[in-house]
Amino acid sequence: MTPAELSRTVLGAVRRAVEEGALSGPVPERVKVERSRPGGSGDYATSIALRLAGPAGRQARDVAEVLKARITDNPGIARVEITGPGFLNFTLGDDSAGALVRAVREQGKRYGYGDGLAGTRIRFAPAGELRARVITDTVVRLLIAQGADAAVAPGGEERITAVPAHDDGRQNDGADDGLFARVGRDAALWALLRPAAHDRPLPGDGLLVQNEGNALFRVRYAHARSRALLRNAADLGFTARIAPGTDGIAPAPAGPAPAPAAHAAPATAAETDPPTDAPASPLLTALGDHPAVIESAARLRAPDRVARHLEATADAFLGFQHTVLPMGDEKPSATHRSRLALAEAAGTVLAGGLALLGISAPEHL
């Protein structure tokens, strides 16, 4: 179960509870779930019971109990706990990582798109200044990705403002487009979108340097590296695959270390168990959070949130990618195939996020 699916599951439980008369009050448009904080319980948590308690005229823990009863037996959720004043905490099933990767592979670059804003009509006033124009166009893409009817149109009721591309506050008269000519479209867009609208844009020239200090290069390099791993794996005779009904990615329970491949003639249990390396966890977290980041960026008109999340995803991938291919005399195993599937999913998420920002994701870099 992905975080987006978990959110829809909880929302469905709220809707059923209201329809059945177990709770009173309006059904919210969405339910926010987030990673459990340090010291918390389970994988994800939500404060929806506290939000519903007032309209329902009930204690938050009572509301949480009503929802827990309607969520507990849901496939993909191993355990539901109530903590504190009424927080619902969810531990996902053993196949949660595999389900996440399969969802990314099935949905492709549209992973993270949703219908949370379906039925919403938004019209933006045309922006004259370069940066405001770029942010407005990007926000429109984000809103459409969440199901909204969004566009820029004369007389639009909403207007986006930003610290101008020139720090002297001049309005754009067309000359600011020289930024695109000087550093190229991709670097110019990142320079304008990566900082929040109330912050100054980045100096474009630094985004042309190809080193790890350049966040744009790091994100695009991570995407190119994910594609290179697929090509390298094909040369070694194996492809990405997650066996149905198995996790194949998340850390396995502690146990005996797998025998070195050079001494292992037949396939051992360690070869078919999920990999035990911790670097997969931050990457799985980043991929799982991607839909919520896109939705929140759309609602808050904040494409910088997508850019920052792409940086975090790229960094998590670069910390994981060294585990994907066999080493030395090691033979490709089920573990390698599942890791390759995770690497492929990471590249897909990076490409999809960059596309929402209007930035290309090259296969080679």
Side-chain angles (χ1 to χ4, degrees), residues 2-306:
T2 69
E5 291 169 340
L6 177 59
S7 175
R8 289 194 291 270
T9 297
V10 178
L11 181 58
V14 173
R15 186 174 290 112
R16 288 195 304 276
V18 171
E19 291 172 351
E20 295 164 5
L23 291 176
S24 59
V27 176
E29 291 184 3
R30 60 191 288 265
V31 172
K32 181 179 180 181
V33 298
E34 56 187 1
R35 281 281 174 182
S36 297
R37 307 211 174 150
S41 173
D43 300 310
Y44 289 91
T46 180
S47 59
I48 187 63
L50 282 74
R51 179 179 168 189
L52 298 174
R58 307 270 293 273
Q59 294 293 319
R61 285 190 70 92
D62 293 341
V63 175
E65 289 287 358
V66 170
L67 298 179
K68 177 182 177 181
R70 288 162 174 77
I71 298 172
T72 297
D73 295 328
N74 200 284
I77 300 177
R79 187 168 66 255
V80 182
E81 300 173 89
I82 301 173
T83 59
F87 294 104
L88 283 164
N89 299 266
F90 309 97
T91 299
L92 301 185
D94 292 338
D95 191 35
S96 59
L100 171 61
V101 172
R102 282 191 287 271
V104 176
R105 298 183 76 197
E106 289 167 5
Q107 297 170 37
K109 293 179 184 179
R110 294 180 64 85
Y111 171 71
Y113 286 35
D115 56 5
L117 294 174
T120 304
R121 184 181 186 277
I122 305 162
R123 291 295 180 267
F124 291 93
E129 192 273 325
L130 172 65
R131 190 175 182 215
R133 190 167 70 242
V134 166
I135 294 176
T136 300
D137 291 344
T138 306
V139 167
V140 167
R141 283 195 297 273
L142 291 169
L143 287 166
I144 291 173
Q146 295 305 308
D149 173 8
V152 177
E157 64 275 11
E158 190 169 335
R159 182 181 298 275
I160 288 179
T161 60
V163 173
H166 279 308
D167 61 9
D168 60 10
R170 286 180 293 152
Q171 291 297 304
N172 177 59
D173 59 1
D176 287 352
D177 291 324
L179 172 66
F180 284 76
R182 190 172 77 252
V183 301
R185 175 180 173 81
D186 291 331
L189 288 173
W190 187 268
L192 298 173
L193 294 170
R194 170 57 180 83
H198 56 75
D199 293 328
R200 291 183 177 184
L202 298 173
D205 295 338
L207 297 174
L208 299 179
V209 180
Q210 296 196 4
N211 62 34
E212 63 182 14
N214 176 357
L216 174 60
F217 170 76
R218 213 162 59 244
V219 170
R220 298 173 84 210
Y221 172 75
H223 171 264
R225 180 63 185 147
S226 74
R227 277 25 193 172
L229 288 172
L230 291 170
R231 295 191 296 270
N232 293 340
D235 291 341
L236 293 174
F238 75 100
T239 58
R241 181 175 183 271
I242 300 224
T246 63
D247 195 314
I249 296 172
H263 304 295
T268 64
E271 214 177 357
T272 56
D273 281 344
T276 58
D277 48 296
S281 296
L283 182 54
L284 287 165
T285 298
L287 299 188
D289 290 346
H290 186 69
V293 170
I294 294 178
E295 182 173 351
S296 115
R299 289 180 180 275
L300 298 175
R301 318 302 196 245
D304 57 288
R305 290 180 172 236
V306 176

